[in-house]
Amino acid sequence: MSQVLRFPDGFVWGTATASFQIEGGRPERGDCIWDDFCRWPGKVFEGDTGDVADDHYHRFREDVALMAELGQNAYRFSVSWPRVLPDGAGEVNEKGIDFYSQLVDELLAKGIDPYVTLYHWDLPSALQRLGGWAARDIIYRFQDYVALMADRLGDRVKNWITHNEPWVVAFVGNLQGRHAPGWEDLGLALQVGHHTVVSHGLAVQALRARAGADARVGITLNFSPAYPASDSPEDVAAARMHDGFANRWFLDPVFKGHYPQDLWDAFGYQVPRVAPGDMELGSQPIDFLGVNYYTRAVVQHDASGWLGYRTLRPEGEYTAMDWEVFPQGLTDLLLRLTRDYGATPLYVTENGCAYEDVVSDDGQVHDPQRVEYLRQHLAACHAAIAQGAPLRGYFEWSLMDNFEWALGYSRRFGIVYVDYATQQRIPKDSARFYASAMSRNAIEV
Ligand code: IFM
């Protein structure tokens, strides 16, 4: 017998995207570190670039019409810093500002509330040449850029996200070398991470001062809930270590004003330089936390592994990213955030999956696995709400197929299929499933 799970009245239903992944419109903006990274041989699948992507820069009206057809009441997108400030600072590209201004107007005209992310990884190349996120001056350049956007959009945009996944910025870009700028240096990565935390604080101040008294400001973090491989004390301690590295390293400074001591000790001499006042800046009160969840980590003690552990690949169902499908992890995460970090309103700002979608003979894209993934993760959200998590909304990643960073266009996360040769958009079965969930404010399980 099926059961209907109803969401609270006023629940926010959206989809999410990011500038570099969908916009294209390369000649109409300055260069960013991902343009440079795409040119680095071997770094990005088949040398794919963001030059055209989904051509959203030229097709945004069509894309907003699609969102309206789906029936979403919110949309999360990011601003490309080099589109509005081609050199990262100084001269403003008014055409770039106009693009975002028109996008916001178009959304509002269709009853869709914009949630604007200010940094989703496309740092202006001009600023990278000055040291990028590793150089302290970046925090003030970010503050100026955020102030500009608050001045230009703050009359209409009420929900702001300072950073998307600073963990990925710091560690995937500067320790693992798999993202731009491509470095492999722990000390550098930790300093980069620290500057994102401090710049988040400065951005909160800029938004509070300039985006209107009703502006709501948050940050989006990515999470990797840690489950010990066994109940042995060694595995439990290993899971705690992974939790410190993957989750608490950014949660604690943002909510508690200090780095987690266990990880601080583990990082030894590589820890970041922290100037007086930094931790107070980074931990100012915020209005919500954005939660990005895709999968969990099963952690086993391994003295030879980095930080003394390794992650396992349990039996189960996997997406095309080779990420385990584990909806319970989302319930556990939302409840844990509520328990350990207070009752800050939560939004799932990203959740979704990649599968090998194809256009069938009937011209449609049938993606039953994504439908099930969404259904199960929405049920997981519902369970967390029922147990007290202050979850206010859910943004599906992603509205449409797009540039999946180092994997180029080889992974499709959209509920809308994009034919990159023609730029045709084809809503997948999952788009219809999600549209029905949004219109009913409920799912059936
Ligand atoms: O595509 C990314 C997004 O930019 C940030 N979060 C994870 C997604 C899937 O990998």
Side-chain angles (χ1 to χ4, degrees), residues 167-242:
W167 189 94
V168 175
V169 171
F171 295 115
V172 184
N174 294 275
L175 174 63
Q176 300 172 355
R178 293 188 290 117
H179 277 190
W183 309 142
E184 297 180 40
D185 179 326
L186 176 60
L188 184 79
L190 292 170
Q191 197 62 48
V192 162
H194 182 65
H195 289 152
T196 64
V197 169
V198 186
S199 73
H200 155 74
L202 291 173
V204 172
Q205 289 185 337
L207 289 160
R208 297 245 186 268
R210 307 167 92 113
D214 51 351
R216 299 171 68 246
V217 186
I219 186 170
T220 281
L221 304 179
N222 56 299
F223 294 101
S224 173
Y227 294 80
S230 77
D231 53 14
S232 76
E234 291 79 12
D235 286 351
V236 171
R240 178 81 186 149
M241 198 55 132
H242 178 78

Side-chain angles (χ1 to χ4, degrees), residues 21 120-121 164-165 294 321 323 350 397 404-405 413:
Q21 294 181 272
H120 199 129
W121 309 352
N164 179 70
E165 302 183 356
Y294 290 90
M321 295 294 281
W323 293 345
E350 283 183 32
W397 183 272
E404 180 51 27
W405 306 112
F413 270 92

Side-chain angles (χ1 to χ4, degrees), residues 136 139 194-195 197-198 273-283:
R136 189 170 173 91
I139 64 177
H194 182 65
H195 289 152
V197 169
V198 186
R273 283 180 305 283
V274 176
D278 278 4
M279 301 315 289
E280 290 73 22
L281 260 180
S283 60

Side-chain angles (χ1 to χ4, degrees), residues 90-343:
E91 202 174 325
V92 174
N93 173 25
E94 290 297 339
K95 281 198 168 152
I97 299 271
D98 286 351
F99 166 68
Y100 294 110
S101 191
Q102 287 171 24
L103 172 59
V104 165
D105 287 344
E106 194 77 11
L107 290 166
L108 292 174
K110 298 254 181 341
I112 301 172
D113 204 7
Y115 282 62
V116 174
T117 306
L118 289 153
Y119 188 70
H120 199 129
W121 309 352
D122 35 7
L123 184 73
S125 301
L127 295 182
Q128 184 63 42
R129 284 195 284 276
L130 301 176
W133 286 105
R136 189 170 173 91
D137 190 56
I138 190 80
I139 64 177
Y140 304 110
R141 300 293 72 76
F142 185 63
Q143 186 184 29
D144 291 346
Y145 151 64
V146 172
L148 170 71
M149 297 317 298
D151 286 346
R152 301 305 188 90
L153 301 182
D155 54 336
R156 289 154 292 156
V157 171
K158 294 300 153 203
N159 294 286
W160 299 90
I161 295 166
T162 56
H163 278 274
N164 179 70
E165 302 183 356
W167 189 94
V168 175
V169 171
F171 295 115
V172 184
N174 294 275
L175 174 63
Q176 300 172 355
R178 293 188 290 117
H179 277 190
W183 309 142
E184 297 180 40
D185 179 326
L186 176 60
L188 184 79
L190 292 170
Q191 197 62 48
V192 162
H194 182 65
H195 289 152
T196 64
V197 169
V198 186
S199 73
H200 155 74
L202 291 173
V204 172
Q205 289 185 337
L207 289 160
R208 297 245 186 268
R210 307 167 92 113
D214 51 351
R216 299 171 68 246
V217 186
I219 186 170
T220 281
L221 304 179
N222 56 299
F223 294 101
S224 173
Y227 294 80
S230 77
D231 53 14
S232 76
E234 291 79 12
D235 286 351
V236 171
R240 178 81 186 149
M241 198 55 132
H242 178 78
D243 178 57
F245 176 46
N247 305 319
R248 288 180 285 118
W249 187 256
F250 282 94
L251 271 171
D252 284 11
V254 168
F255 285 97
K256 300 184 171 170
H258 57 78
Y259 285 102
Q261 193 62 47
D262 51 349
L263 268 288
W264 186 269
D265 294 343
F267 288 143
Y269 73 92
Q270 311 253 37
V271 292
R273 283 180 305 283
V274 176
D278 278 4
M279 301 315 289
E280 290 73 22
L281 260 180
S283 60
Q284 286 167 79
I286 50 175
D287 302 304
F288 64 88
L289 172 66
V291 176
N292 288 1
Y293 173 79
Y294 290 90
T295 191
R296 67 162 169 176
V298 176
V299 187
Q300 188 173 57
H301 169 75
D302 177 355
S304 65
W306 193 59
L307 295 175
Y309 71 84
R310 65 189 177 114
T311 55
L312 306 183
R313 189 180 188 281
E315 284 294 306
E317 206 188 314
Y318 283 78
T319 70
M321 295 294 281
D322 205 28
W323 293 345
E324 186 195 4
V325 178
F326 191 70
Q328 180 64 41
L330 181 52
T331 308
D332 294 347
L333 170 63
L334 294 168
L335 292 173
R336 185 271 173 106
L337 292 171
T338 309
R339 195 177 58 239
D340 293 353
Y341 294 91

